[in-house]
């Protein structure tokens, strides 16, 4: 394939799902959801690298594919294909009102994966993020609306934070390709710290990294099948990908931020361990697993920030790991999801039944194991508390995260917290 | 014969003459009225296209007619005037099509379209003005031609809104006249000049110049709806939807914002204004207006009132961009003049469609309306997301340049104003989008009209879809030749870099 055709095809991979959003087109096409993914699947197996950046598009930004992007592209294709295969978004004959959101989310996801610069990444991930809201609300009940609202609040704050990061990057360099920004940020110490924190917070919110995980748990509990299956690969994996691509990793040494990030990762893991013995329901396990995985990623990224040499040595593992996270969480969600959702296609019922026995057995096994461990833990904790009376206060502290989560569900509280964050950042910048 | 000397006059006349003829037409001459309207709009489009091409090639377009001793009526096409003229011309065409559909079978259409044409004539005149006196003449013509449009319905509420509008705008106009006369006595010139014409005045006129600047900003601030001079705008929402669209996106508030741009760039000049120390207060005033407008919008249940407060907030981005006084912020401010117009007219068309087709006026009545009117609501979604600044829609480009411009000149606080405003925009637009797409219809539509199997009439549906696509295109192909962004860059280059 000649380079020009390859480049055009690259643009087509993202543009095709966008075109399919038009009802007149996707209602007339057999298996439109599969067709939407097809060009991406072809691109995944095509050899070589490609890059297209038309000067008239946005600010002269572009798309590209290389060996690193291929890992994430492969994950995207697998996860979306599995989702389409298992879940009936729309029958091929009848028009479903949610179908456009499916295509828009897919286009945004592919755009983010193939982005070669900050602007395309932010455009695509925003398209993906807002369209995904449509998938989250497929059940159209109050619980899913509430979960969607929390997701939206986090998304907006994340987008605003990333917009500021984008402006800082554009202020430092005219060339907004990932590598150029990384180099520019490495050479400007003052801006790069602010930029780094904005990136970590922005994508941390998008990926549901602890302590910004509230939306992840809520949406997983109350959203429909497609959203649950896509949760690990669409917002979470793209969020992690964003951190890896945007953050100036491997350049200057960011010892303190690295240390803080490692600390956050460890606290996240401890938090999940504590939660695991108290209030986690079996159907929430995939969501908490995602939080645990992102906690581990935090530790790894923190090490990378603090020790650039280690980052250089092991960075080739990052993209396969993100891809594996997406695929793994999708399988986990599928296996553990015991809800009989009306959106499951009857044509795929047989394939689902095959998994059902396995998942229910596994779920039952997990539930039994969890009860045993919980009983033992409670007994052990009771004995310890009897010995050391002062530990009573820790039991009270245990409910604090839950209370905080409840409070964040209210708009005024969320806005107030955001404004406090803005003031803190402002003071840190100006003082 | 030098045609270039007559083109600006022809551009003004292309809407003035059809307007004057339409006034004389009987109500039943529907086809003649539509034909005249459309011929005028297309002719203006062609003439403006010609001027755009010419100015791009470095040609000069200027009409100069003697008005008073030493004072001429000057119409001149430059990059700054053309960006406003192009916006008005394109949106006039679209609004005319919309108004034809909207006012079908309603009374007093000749009167309406006559004043409608006069209104656009005044706007184009303001844009092409080559000096302050020409500007003032067309500015007052705009006030007088929009008043009958606001009171078009003839109800008591409409009359009250019209009176408020007149009181505010005449007060503003009086201040402008005072400032213009005072400036003329000091400088002996009113000719718009790149980088201003007050350089020669010594330090002894400093106080007078500051007062003149304040008078200009207060005068223009009425139409630009700067807080606390914004009171007329939410009341004027009583007017029919095409008029609201015209007020918010094409004519009135834009004329005010454009006036501020002219005063800062071509009367005082950026450097002189900065030396006088008037730019920072202007920037803070704009910032307060941005946040205040957004906060007030949050609590409105009437859709058009929410959009009105949104306009108060959004138009001040233009003032903010100018007041930051840097080349990149100038691009942001000037390009927002166009982008805000396209996005806001889309939203008003959609609000008009809801009112006309289903009788919906309140946000609380909008549950599930996306299923009933998918194309209209898709256009509304694009407009609303663009207002928030979601990439890659037009609003994102404006906010990008404003933020970058603020960083360039070390005004970091603007970033927080932009972030806070975007957050508030999201808080008042996203719940609407949630209602229209995800909530189920809970009650019958208040007053549903039957359009067969179509969601609404073609003349009502086409304009918002076209403008929504324009808003999307303005962001996606922002760097393309002849895009608003490219013109804004030309203007910034003229203001800051050319010797």
């Amino acid at each position: 394939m000649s380079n020009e055709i390859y480049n055009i095809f690259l643009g087509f991979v993202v543009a095709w799902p966008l075109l399919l959003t038009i009802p007149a087109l996707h209602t007339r096409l057999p298996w439109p959801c599969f067709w939407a993914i097809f060009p991406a699947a072809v691109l995944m197996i095509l050899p070589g690298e490609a890059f297209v950046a038309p000067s008239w598009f946005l600010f002269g930004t572009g798309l590209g594919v290389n060996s690193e992007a291929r890992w994430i592209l492969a994950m995207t294709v697998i996860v979306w294909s599995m989702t389409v295969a298992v879940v009936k978004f729309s029958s091929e004959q009848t028009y479903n009102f949610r179908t456009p959101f499916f295509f828009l989310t897919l286009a945004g996801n592919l755009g983010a994966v193939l982005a070669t610069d900050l602007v395309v990444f932010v455009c695509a991930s925003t398209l993906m993020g807002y369209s995904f809201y449509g998938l989250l609300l497929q059940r159209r009940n109050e619980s899913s609306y509430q979960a969607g609202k929390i997701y939206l609040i986090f998304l907006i704050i994340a987008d605003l934070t990333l917009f500021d990061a984008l402006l800082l990057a554009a202020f430092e360099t005219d060339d907004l390709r990932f590598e150029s920004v990384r180099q520019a940020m490495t050479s400007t110490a003052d801006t790069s710290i602010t930029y780094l924190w904005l990136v970590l917070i922005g994508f941390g919110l998008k990926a549901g990294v602890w302590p910004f995980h509230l939306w992840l748990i809520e949406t997983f509990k109350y959203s429909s099948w497609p959203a649950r299956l896509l949760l690990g690969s669409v917002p979470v994996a793209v969020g992690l990908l964003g951190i890896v691509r945007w953050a100036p990793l491997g350049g200057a040494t960011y010892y303190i931020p690295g240390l803080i990030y490692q600390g956050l990762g460890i606290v996240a893991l401890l938090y999940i361990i504590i939660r695991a013995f108290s209030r986690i329901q079996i159907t929430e396990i995939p969501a908490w697993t995602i939080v645990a995985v992102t906690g581990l990623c935090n530790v790894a990224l923190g090490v990378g920030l603090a020790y650039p040499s280690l980052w250089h040595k092991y960075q080739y593992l990052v993209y396969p790991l993100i891809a594996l996270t997406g695929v793994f969480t999708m399988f986990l969600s599928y296996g553990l999801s015991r809800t009989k959702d009306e959106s499951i296609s009857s044509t795929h019922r047989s394939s689902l039944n095959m998994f059902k026995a396995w998942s229910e057995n596994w779920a039952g096994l997990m539930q039994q194991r969890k009860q045993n461990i919980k009983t033992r833990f409670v007994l052990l904790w009771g004995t310890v508390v009897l010995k050391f009376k002062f530990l009573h206060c820790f039991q009270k502290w245990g409910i604090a995260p839950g209370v905080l989560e409840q409070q964040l569900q209210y708009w005024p509280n969320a806005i107030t917290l955001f404004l406090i964050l803005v003031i803190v950042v402002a003071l840190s910048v100006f003082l | 014969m030098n045609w270039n000397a007559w083109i600006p006059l022809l551009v003004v006349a292309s809407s003035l003459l059809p307007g004057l003829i339409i006034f004389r037409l009987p109500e039943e001459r529907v086809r003649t009225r539509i034909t005249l309207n459309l011929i005028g709009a297309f002719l203006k489009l062609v003439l403006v296209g010609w001027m755009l091409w010419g100015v791009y090639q470095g040609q000069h377009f200027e009409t100069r007619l003697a008005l008073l001793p030493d004072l001429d009526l000057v119409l001149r096409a430059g990059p700054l005037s053309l960006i406003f003229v192009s916006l008005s011309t394109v949106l006039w065409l679209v609004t005319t099509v919309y108004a034809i559909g909207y006012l079908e079978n309603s009374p007093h259409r000749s009167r309406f379209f006559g004043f409608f044409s006069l209104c656009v004539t005044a706007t184009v005149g303001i844009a092409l003005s080559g000096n302050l006196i020409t500007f003032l003449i067309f500015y007052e013509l705009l006030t007088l031609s929009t008043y009958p449009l606001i009171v078009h319905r003839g109800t008591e509420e409409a009359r009250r809104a019209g009176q408020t509008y007149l009181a505010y705008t005449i007060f503003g106009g009086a201040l402008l006249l005072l400032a213009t006369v005072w400036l003329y006595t000091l400088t002996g010139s009113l000719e718009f000049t790149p980088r201003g014409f007050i350089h020669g005045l010594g330090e002894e006129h400093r106080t007078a110049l500051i007062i003149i600047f304040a008078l200009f900003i207060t005068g223009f601030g009425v139409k630009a709806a700067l807080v606390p001079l914004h009171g007329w705008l939410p009341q004027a929402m009583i007017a029919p939807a095409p008029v609201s669209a015209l007020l918010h996106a094409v004519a009135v508030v834009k004329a005010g914002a454009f006036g501020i741009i002219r005063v800062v760039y071509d009367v005082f000049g950026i450097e002189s204004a900065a030396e006088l120390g008037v730019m920072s207060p202007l920037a803070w005033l704009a910032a307060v207006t941005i946040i205040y407008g957004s906060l007030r919008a949050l609590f409105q249940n009437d859709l058009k009132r929410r959009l009105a407060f949104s306009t108060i907030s959004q138009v001040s981005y233009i003032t903010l961009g100018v007041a930051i006084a840097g080349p990149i912020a100038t691009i942001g401010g000037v390009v927002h003049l166009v982008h805000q117009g396209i996005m806001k007219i889309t939203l008003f068309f959609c609000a008009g469609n809801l009112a006309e087709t289903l009788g919906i006026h309140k946000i609380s009545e909008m549950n599930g309306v996306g299923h009933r009117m998918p194309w209209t609501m898709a256009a509304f979604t694009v407009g609303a997301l663009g207002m928030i600044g979601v990439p890659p829609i037009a609003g994102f480009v404006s906010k990008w340049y404003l933020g970058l411009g603020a960083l360039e000149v070390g005004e970091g606080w603007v970033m927080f104003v932009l972030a806070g405003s975007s957050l508030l925009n999201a808080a008042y637009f996203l719940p609407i989008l949630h209602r229209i797409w995800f909530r189920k219809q809970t009650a019958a539509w208040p007053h549903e009209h039957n359009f067969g199997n179509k969601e609404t009439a073609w003349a009502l549906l086409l304009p918002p879809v076209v403008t929504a696509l324009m808003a999307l295109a303005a962001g996606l192909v922002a760097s393309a030749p002849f895009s608003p962004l490219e013109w804004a860059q030309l203007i910034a280059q003229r203001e800051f870099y050319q010797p």
Side-chain angles (χ1 to χ4, degrees):
Chain A
M1 193 186 279
S2 75
N3 274 346
E4 278 163 11
I5 296 174
Y6 201 158
N7 290 346
I8 292 168
F9 184 66
L10 195 63
F12 178 72
V13 169
V14 181
W16 176 232
L18 277 178
L19 271 177
L20 281 175
T21 308
I22 301 167
L25 202 59
H26 72 243
T27 47
R28 285 176 172 79
L29 204 68
W31 311 307
C33 298
F34 279 113
W35 280 114
I37 307 162
F38 185 69
V42 174
L43 182 68
M44 186 182 77
I45 54 171
L46 278 178
E49 296 189 351
F51 175 71
V52 57
S55 60
W56 48 264
F57 183 68
L58 278 170
F59 307 124
T61 48
L63 300 165
V65 64
N66 56 17
S67 56
E68 291 169 342
R70 252 198 192 90
W71 278 103
I72 312 295
L73 186 64
M75 174 204 74
T76 310
V77 170
I78 291 168
V79 170
W80 282 91
S81 306
M82 282 294 293
T83 308
V84 174
V86 170
V87 182
K88 184 184 178 185
F89 265 99
S90 68
S91 81
E92 284 70 26
Q93 286 79 32
T94 56
Y95 171 60
N96 184 321
F97 203 70
R98 294 284 173 270
T99 315
F101 291 108
F102 172 87
F103 294 119
L104 288 173
T105 314
L106 175 63
N109 195 356
L110 289 170
V113 171
L114 298 175
T116 53
D117 59 72
L118 269 58
V119 178
V120 172
F121 193 96
V122 90
C123 290
S125 66
T126 307
L127 172 66
M128 184 192 79
Y130 283 98
S131 315
F132 192 64
Y133 177 73
L135 295 182
L136 288 179
L137 267 53
Q138 194 163 6
R139 283 193 166 158
R140 300 179 81 185
N141 55 31
E142 280 308 316
S143 305
S144 66
Y145 289 159
Q146 192 61 28
K149 196 166 135 186
I150 297 167
Y151 167 78
L152 210 52
I153 292 170
F154 276 84
L155 182 69
I156 292 162
I157 296 173
D159 282 340
L160 288 175
T161 315
L162 290 175
F163 179 64
D164 285 347
L166 187 61
L167 286 178
L168 279 181
F171 182 61
E172 291 300 333
T173 173
D174 290 336
D175 185 356
L176 288 174
R177 280 177 299 175
F178 297 124
E179 199 49 48
S180 309
V181 171
R182 197 169 291 152
Q183 282 167 7
M185 285 299 162
T186 305
S187 57
T188 52
D190 291 344
T191 318
S192 74
I193 291 284
T194 315
Y195 170 80
L196 177 68
W197 277 117
L198 289 171
V199 167
L200 293 178
I201 293 170
F203 283 115
L205 284 160
K206 281 202 170 192
V209 168
W210 190 91
F212 309 121
H213 62 287
L214 172 67
W215 70 264
L216 193 68
I217 310 299
E218 291 296 309
T219 49
F220 194 86
K221 264 199 289 196
Y222 300 113
S223 58
S224 59
W225 260 79
R228 283 185 192 176
L229 295 182
L230 293 171
L231 210 58
S233 67
V234 175
V236 176
V238 170
L240 293 174
L241 181 69
I243 297 179
V244 173
R245 286 187 165 174
W246 284 47
L249 286 154
T253 304
Y254 299 98
Y255 191 72
I256 301 290
L259 214 58
I260 294 172
Y261 224 55
Q262 287 174 59
L264 280 177
I266 292 164
V267 172
L269 292 170
L270 288 173
Y271 176 79
I272 289 158
I273 291 167
I274 292 168
R275 290 293 298 252
F277 292 115
S278 56
R279 287 191 285 150
I280 294 181
Q281 293 168 12
I282 195 82
T283 48
E284 292 175 17
I285 286 180
W288 285 104
T289 310
I290 294 171
V291 179
V293 171
T294 53
L296 281 171
C297 290
N298 272 3
V299 176
L301 286 167
V303 172
L305 287 168
Y307 307 102
S309 56
L310 278 176
W311 177 258
H312 281 300
K313 200 171 173 184
Y314 295 109
Q315 65 170 327
Y316 67 94
L317 289 171
V318 171
Y319 291 93
L321 278 175
I322 294 174
L324 279 174
T325 304
V327 175
F328 168 70
T329 47
M330 188 211 63
F331 275 106
L332 193 67
S333 309
Y334 186 62
L336 281 176
S337 226
R338 299 168 72 198
T339 316
K340 285 179 183 170
D341 198 296
E342 66 285 353
S343 60
I344 301 167
S345 161
S346 57
T347 53
H348 300 297
R349 184 66 68 186
S350 57
S351 64
L352 186 66
N353 286 341
M354 195 175 73
F355 278 95
K356 198 178 163 189
W358 166 75
S359 68
E360 284 188 356
N361 282 343
W362 188 25
L365 197 68
M366 289 283 289
Q367 187 72 30
Q368 196 182 356
R369 180 68 57 87
K370 189 186 150 193
Q371 282 299 335
N372 288 341
I373 295 172
K374 192 176 174 182
T375 313
R376 284 179 200 172
F377 183 77
V378 169
L379 282 172
L380 180 70
W381 181 247
T383 318
V384 173
V385 170
L386 276 174
K387 289 266 184 199
F388 307 99
K389 303 278 186 196
F390 69 90
L391 285 173
H392 274 301
C393 64
F394 286 104
Q395 283 181 313
K396 287 176 188 168
W397 278 101
I399 61 166
V403 173
L404 185 68
E405 286 175 10
Q406 289 297 321
Q407 289 302 311
L408 273 174
Q409 292 181 19
Y410 300 104
W411 263 103
N413 297 353
I415 291 175
T416 310
L417 275 176
F418 173 71
L419 290 177
I420 291 169
L421 180 73
V422 165
I423 291 164
V424 170
V425 173
L427 287 175
S428 68
V429 170
F430 294 116
L431 299 180
Chain B
M1 186 179 178
N2 182 14
W3 276 101
N4 287 2
W6 291 100
I7 300 264
L9 193 65
L10 282 175
V11 170
V12 173
S14 61
S15 48
L16 180 66
L17 292 178
L20 294 176
I21 299 169
I22 287 168
F23 273 124
R24 310 280 302 166
L25 282 178
E27 274 302 296
E28 62 275 11
R29 299 283 296 273
V30 178
R31 279 194 175 179
T32 316
R33 195 168 47 234
I34 291 174
T35 312
L36 276 171
N37 264 317
L38 291 179
I39 286 175
F42 275 111
L43 183 63
K44 196 186 283 291
L45 198 65
V46 171
L47 291 169
V48 170
W50 187 353
M51 286 203 302
L52 268 174
W53 181 253
V55 169
Y56 201 72
Q57 302 287 319
Q59 290 179 34
H60 193 66
F61 295 87
E62 184 179 294
T63 306
R64 190 174 281 270
L65 303 169
L67 187 72
L68 293 168
D70 296 332
L71 277 177
D72 292 339
L73 190 130
V74 183
L75 296 170
R76 190 186 300 134
L80 182 58
S81 45
L82 277 182
I83 203 166
F84 191 27
V85 171
S86 309
L87 173 78
S88 311
T89 306
V90 172
L91 294 188
W92 182 45
L93 175 62
V94 183
T95 313
T96 303
V97 173
Y98 186 80
I100 289 166
Y102 191 91
L103 295 168
E104 201 179 8
N105 304 325
S106 66
H108 309 304
R109 275 172 291 170
S110 287
R111 186 184 76 189
F112 179 90
F113 280 106
F115 282 115
F116 196 72
S117 300
L118 275 188
C119 185
V120 174
T121 305
T123 310
V124 171
I126 287 170
L128 290 172
S129 296
N131 60 20
L132 258 172
I133 198 73
T134 314
F135 195 100
L136 264 185
I137 290 168
F138 283 110
Y139 198 79
E140 290 306 317
L141 178 63
L142 180 65
T143 302
L144 298 175
S145 58
T146 37
Y147 171 76
L149 296 176
I150 292 171
V151 299
H152 179 75
R153 288 193 205 275
T155 60
E156 189 52 40
E157 201 181 354
R159 278 198 204 102
R160 271 204 307 275
Q163 280 168 5
T164 312
Y165 171 73
L166 264 191
Y168 269 89
T169 47
I170 286 176
F171 163 72
L175 293 183
L176 288 179
L177 186 64
L178 176 65
T180 306
V181 173
W182 194 349
L183 192 67
Y184 186 66
T185 57
L186 290 179
T187 60
S189 167
L190 292 175
E191 201 82 2
F192 290 141
T193 316
R195 301 188 188 186
F197 56 85
I198 62 151
H199 310 293
L201 295 175
E203 189 63 22
E204 70 270 20
H205 295 298
R206 185 183 167 83
T207 313
L209 286 174
I210 291 173
I211 296 170
I212 290 170
F213 187 86
L215 287 172
F216 272 125
I217 296 301
T218 314
F220 288 127
V222 170
K223 280 206 171 101
L226 281 174
V227 170
L229 306 164
H230 64 284
W232 64 272
L233 191 58
Q235 285 191 45
M237 284 305 95
I238 195 70
V243 179
S244 303
L246 200 73
L247 290 176
H248 286 255
V250 189
V252 182
V253 289
K254 285 296 160 59
F258 188 74
I260 293 173
I261 296 177
R262 275 288 194 211
V263 164
V264 172
Y265 290 161
D266 296 341
V267 175
F268 282 76
I270 289 274
E271 284 174 18
S272 304
E275 280 169 18
L276 288 171
V278 290
M279 298 303 263
S280 287
L282 184 60
W284 280 104
L285 183 64
V288 167
T289 308
I290 287 170
I291 300 295
Y292 174 84
S294 298
L295 279 172
R296 289 294 305 272
L298 261 179
F299 302 104
Q300 307 302 324
N301 186 29
D302 185 287
L303 180 61
K304 279 175 78 179
R305 270 183 78 84
R306 187 172 287 198
L307 294 180
F309 278 107
S310 165
T311 301
I312 291 170
S313 169
Q314 292 280 338
V315 168
S316 285
Y317 281 124
I318 302 166
T319 311
L320 183 66
V322 173
I324 290 170
I328 300 179
T330 296
I331 296 172
V334 172
V335 84
H336 197 61
L337 187 90
V338 180
H339 289 172
Q340 189 270 350
I342 300 169
M343 294 184 297
K344 191 45 68 81
I345 207 164
T346 307
L347 294 172
F348 271 106
F349 284 158
C350 295
N353 282 5
L354 287 174
E356 193 63 8
T357 313
L358 303 174
I360 291 175
H361 297 278
K362 303 235 177 285
I363 292 161
S364 52
E365 297 165 344
M366 289 174 75
N367 286 2
V369 75
H371 301 254
R372 169 66 179 76
M373 302 179 75
W375 286 101
T376 303
M377 288 300 106
F380 187 92
T381 305
V382 172
L385 292 178
M387 284 290 175
I388 298 168
V390 170
I393 307 169
F396 169 73
V397 178
S398 315
K399 288 188 181 179
W400 167 279
Y401 277 94
L402 284 171
L404 213 54
L407 283 176
E408 183 195 38
V409 295
E411 301 276 2
W413 59 272
V414 172
M415 300 266 285
F416 298 103
V417 173
L418 292 178
S421 166
S422 295
L423 191 71
L424 290 167
N425 285 339
Y428 67 74
F429 272 125
L430 291 182
I432 303 179
L433 300 187
H434 175 82
R435 272 179 190 280
I436 61 182
W437 293 116
F438 302 110
R439 290 276 171 185
K440 288 174 189 160
Q441 184 189 346
T442 44
W445 307 120
H447 191 72
E448 187 168 5
H449 282 90
N450 186 17
F451 288 96
N453 57 356
K454 293 181 291 183
E455 67 176 70
T456 188
W458 276 111
L460 296 178
L461 183 59
L462 203 62
V465 172
V466 168
T467 50
L469 288 174
M470 282 163 67
L472 205 55
L476 271 176
V477 292
S479 306
F482 290 100
S483 68
L485 180 64
E486 182 157 284
W487 279 97
Q489 283 167 339
L490 261 177
I491 293 161
Q493 201 175 21
R494 180 199 73 156
E495 197 59 36
F496 290 93
Y497 299 120
Q498 276 178 7

